[in-house]
Amino acid sequence: RAAGETIGAVAAVLKEHAASAKPTATQAEAAGPAEASAETIPAGTYFGRTHGGPVHVVDGIYLPVVSAAGDAPPAEGSVEASLAWLRAQGGWGARAAERLGPDNDFLLDLDLSDTSGGGKVAGGKIGPEAAMHVARALADNRVLTSLNLGDNALGAEGAHHLARALTTNLLLTEVVLSGNGLDDASKAVLTSAWGDR
């Protein structure tokens, strides 16, 4: 408060400032309920959880900032593109993206054994294309210790994708691939990639 200003004048200025900082009802409706009360903070560790990108704090909950629809799509062949492809599959794919993505820092297992609930090949099984996206994300993952892809249709191509991921992801201690009809050459490639774990 400047010398000679009355308390009433200072209070009026503060009220005016507070009113201009709040979104109008139209702005709040356009932003949506979560955005209207969200505060964005930079990447960092908050309450023991590390966030790789900026987060919104909504009602005390830290949520990753999701790119706007107008943003450029992830680069083809990137981990982000594979995670987006997996999310688009729904069900098993969304679960895979959640566990393989950068925001998972505590879920250690991923069970994608066939339950005939979706996939990209006939019979609802995870095939070579899905294996490629899982493997790409798996190569970058530093959390999972167990992966179950049993009773799917990975084939030789899918096995080779997984083998490449196993050479860089050394945290896995268990991988289940039974029931995938892998030939001896595919098994040899996987065994070599597994190494001396």
Side-chain angles (χ1 to χ4, degrees), residues 99-101 104-105 108 137-145 165 168-171:
R99 302 280 173 111
L100 293 168
N104 175 25
D105 59 3
L108 303 177
L138 182 64
D140 202 45
N141 182 276
R142 299 295 176 251
V143 178
L144 287 184
T145 59
T168 59
N169 183 320
L170 302 177
L171 288 177

Side-chain angles (χ1 to χ4, degrees), residues 6 15 24 39 91 123 190:
T6 66
K15 285 181 184 178
T24 66
E39 172 190 357
L190 288 163

